[in-house]
Structure formats: structure tokens, C-alpha cells
Amino acid sequence: MQKNAGIRLARTIHFICNNEIISTEINPAASALDFIRTQLHLNGTKESCREGDCGACSILIGELNGSQVNYKTVNSCILPIGALAGKHIVTIEGLNQQNLNPVQQSFINESAIQCGFCTPGFIVSLTGSLLSSSKINYVTLLAAIDGNICRCTGYASIKRSIINFVDLHSNKINQANERTKELVQYGIVPEYFLSIPDMLNNITKEAKEDYITNGLVTAGGTDIFLQKNKEIENEGIIFIETDSKLPKIYIENNECRISASATVNEIRESSILNKILPDIKEYFSLFGSTQIRNRATLGGNIINASPIGDMTIFFLVLNSILHFSEDGKLREVSMSEFYKGYKLFDKKPKEILETISFRIPEKGLKINFEKISRRTYLDIASVNSAILINVRQNIITDISISAGGVAPFPMLLKKTSKYLNGKQLCLTNLKEACEIAEQEISPISDVRGSAEYKTILVKQIILAHFNKLFPDLIKAEELVW
């Protein structure tokens, strides 16, 4: 990034916070959490990790879609305030009413509060699920708090409070034709929520002609605002805006195209991708938390060039193509040739990643994703891997294996895949492939494990792919050798 010396960084931003219209001239890269606490004095939104890891700073962001407002839960600590322009944000204060609402009451009923520091984040996350989930049950509500940490209760009482709420309210909520109106009727959200669509329509969004022509281009920013939160405030920042009327995921000429600005949750929930890749929802539940998945984008994960990027590893094995643009000129780069070294890749300085495409897998092709980390959820992988494979009459006719955490960049195990292609599907060949993979990788020791440990993991993760896709191939006693 280059310094934007002499450039006026502040911009006027208009948004709604709870039931109040906010207009402020501020650097769009400033922290939303800091603004909420120090300027709006809404201290129910807590400051804790500042890494998007604990959920204490959770807020709701609502974006107008036709006559409806779609709400998502996000971490305000790694959220630039410029991302709030033209939107409705809701803090815990915006959910409070004269009496405790049913979500809050369920926490009281089951003694799910001790110190109370994390409680606002839990209430906000659960409310976000009530506003956005197609079906309300224990599973959906429990998943909604996957990014919220409590250091006191042990979670048992919090889980009981969710059960309590579901037993009392889920049936009538699920029968509602208009979710927001019903939540207002049941006292779960305040009545002012009904006026938000009209208020958003009346907001004049900030001017599109941006006087910052240089600077960091970002969409979700979940990683860059974690790494360089304060530094970015001294840089120009340009937000990627997409036309909400255009599809972010679509099929064209037997290819699936995904906008680089598509978030992880938009990809997880896509009916198109769930039809093509049936287990994608399960795979990407291992990516961050609900709050992170609501902001993190596919393009950001790819351009971040982390050697262990989950989405990068997954789409790498699909032989994806990256589509860049610069001043109207288009360029395509094969994802398998994109990475050149640690954080080095084939992208020109002013190019923007527009879309990612891949051929729809042929009938019979199987895909699997595996991730090994210290925690199952909300953690960075020690090693991750994906496989795309086709087997006909017990012969491997097509195969591609990717691996992360084993080289300076996300890599395809080309030698390993080449060895297996055309071979009989048997344990002997699989063992040999694992030995080739061991020679192909170059892991280093770091906080997520030693080089020796990662080498073992790669062999085990290849076995895990085949054990998942071909359960009769490997006996339990043969999983480790």
C-alpha cells in the first residue's frame, strides 16, 4: 500500500443506528466499534479481543432489498465504518424494550448470565438468526452463536435458554408470513423495525465520485482489518460495491461463476452451489464463525494468498479460473498458476478480481474437503486439503488434490495426483501416493505445528479423503501406518 499524503480521507457517511439516522464525516476506514462506543456512547457493544474471535462486539447490519431489510450478524471490531453507509445497524440497545424481550427472558429463566460481559453479543446473534433464518429450531439458533464466547457459564445454561426459547416460540415464528412483523408482534424486536425500510429509502448515500483514487481496495475486510486495523486508517480505502440486482452466483455455458464479492455464507447458502457440490454447506461451516462468514468474501480469501485459506484450497482443486479487470480490460488466470510464492501472485497492481469460475463437475466426480485445526470451529487450519476424483471400474480416471499449510502458498499436489491418475483404486497405490506427497510438500514449523507434524497430517488427510469417499477401501486398523 502507498501513502495517500495530502489526500482528504474523511467522507460523509449516512446510516441508521437503531432508530436514529446518523450522518458523520469520518475516515471510512475507522473502526465501527470505536464509533459506536465513543461517539454514539452505546457501550452495550463490548470491546474485547478486537480480532473477530469472541463475538462480544456483535451487531446487526440490515441492507435494503426491495421492500424488505435483510439482516446479518457481524463483528464490529474488524468492521470499517464506511461499510455502514446506507444501512441499518442494530446494537443491543436497539433491541431493548420496556420489558425484557423473550430472548433475554429465556437467558434469565435458565440463569445463562454470570458476569454478563458476553451476553449482549449472544442476544444480538440469536436475534440475527431469528430475523434471517428460514426455519427456527435448536440447531439453527445454536449455529448462530458459533462466534460468541462465554468464559463463565460453561454454555450448558445458554443451551438450555435456547431450548426454552424454541419450545415457547419456534412454532409461531416458523408459521409467520412476514418474519419481521411477527417478531414485532411477539415483542422480540421493537416496533421501530417496521419503519426501517422507509427510513433507508430516504437516506442519501455518500457520493459515488470518490476523491480517493489510490488506496486499499476491499470488500469484507475481515482479514486486512484484523492485521492492519490502525495502519489502514492512514491509507485511502475504496470499497467494492456490487449491484444487488445482479446474481452473485450463476451458471453460464456449463460453468459456475461466482462474484469475488460473494461472502462465505452466500456461497454456503447458494441453491446453485448446493446442487453442484452437495456438501459445501458442511465444508464451509468450518470457516470462521457466522459473524466472519457474513463478511468474508471469496475474492478476499483468494487475494489474501494465505497458504491455508479454506476457500482457496477448495476452489483450487476445482481448477478454477480467476477473472480480472483493469480499465475495461479483462484477463484470465488459472488458479493453479496464480500463486508464485509467499503472498506473491500473478496480479497487476490495479487489477480487480471480478469473478471466479469453474466447470461444473461431470457426473461421477466426487469432491471432499478436510481441515485439521486445534478447534473444530472458528480456527485456522494446521493443514487443510480438498480432493476431486472420478473412479470408473475401480480405476482412477481423474484426480486433483490440493493442500494448505504445507508450502509458502496454497498448492496442488501435482505429482501425487499424476501418480494416482490411471491407477487402480487400492490401498497399496494410496500408500505410495502418500509417500510422494511427503516429498512434494515443504512445510515449516510454526505456532500451528512442527514441520514433522504437518508432514504426518498431509498423509493422514489424504487417507481421510479416501476413507470418506470410499469407506470400504480402508480398514480402521489401516488408517495409520
Side-chain angles (χ1 to χ4, degrees), residues 432-446:
E432 180 62 27
C434 287
E435 297 305 317
I436 294 172
E438 181 179 353
Q439 301 302 314
E440 190 171 3
I441 62 177
S442 56
I444 62 171
S445 299
D446 57 26

Side-chain angles (χ1 to χ4, degrees), residues 25-228:
E25 185 172 301
I26 191 171
N27 185 335
S31 163
L33 173 63
D34 290 342
F35 185 84
I36 289 168
R37 288 180 58 84
T38 63
Q39 301 300 312
L40 301 182
H41 306 292
L42 298 172
N43 294 324
T45 305
K46 303 301 183 184
E47 178 181 352
S48 183
C49 70
R50 290 195 79 99
E51 295 182 349
D53 196 48
C54 73
C57 69
S58 296
I59 62 172
L60 300 181
I61 288 189
E63 186 168 5
L64 193 62
N65 182 14
S67 61
Q68 303 294 318
V69 179
N70 297 333
Y71 288 93
K72 298 178 180 179
T73 313
V74 299
N75 296 303
S76 61
C77 67
I78 52 173
L79 179 70
I81 193 169
L84 305 183
K87 297 181 176 65
H88 179 215
I89 71 166
V90 184
T91 69
I92 186 64
E93 290 86 354
L95 297 176
N96 291 338
Q97 301 175 60
Q98 186 172 358
N99 299 312
L100 293 175
N101 69 45
V103 181
Q104 294 168 328
Q105 189 62 55
S106 68
F107 268 59
I108 297 297
N109 293 345
E110 299 298 334
S111 301
I113 300 171
Q114 287 195 31
C115 80
F117 190 86
C118 68
T119 306
F122 276 91
I123 302 301
V124 168
S125 293
L126 290 169
T127 305
S129 181
L130 294 175
L131 284 162
S132 61
S133 297
S134 58
K135 188 172 183 61
I136 300 301
N137 54 39
Y138 176 72
V139 174
T140 57
L141 290 180
L142 187 64
I145 57 171
D146 60 3
N148 295 83
I149 292 175
C150 176
R151 295 174 175 85
C152 301
T153 65
Y155 299 104
S157 57
I158 293 175
K159 290 179 179 179
R160 288 197 307 269
S161 73
I162 295 175
I163 294 172
N164 176 288
F165 180 88
V166 167
D167 288 345
L168 291 174
H169 304 286
S170 63
N171 285 338
K172 56 188 178 184
I173 293 175
N174 286 327
Q175 293 171 5
N177 293 322
E178 296 186 53
R179 180 66 61 82
T180 302
K181 286 184 178 180
E182 297 298 327
L183 293 182
V184 169
Q185 180 182 335
Y186 301 142
I188 294 172
V189 299
E191 188 174 0
Y192 77 80
F193 268 71
L194 300 179
S195 64
I196 294 300
D198 289 337
M199 292 176 69
L200 286 176
N201 268 322
N202 292 331
I203 286 181
T204 302
K205 294 185 179 181
E206 55 189 316
K208 301 299 182 186
E209 54 276 9
D210 198 339
Y211 36 74
I212 299 175
T213 57
N214 295 311
L216 180 69
V217 177
T218 185
T222 53
D223 189 73
I224 195 67
F225 282 94
L226 167 61
Q227 294 181 26
K228 300 180 179 181

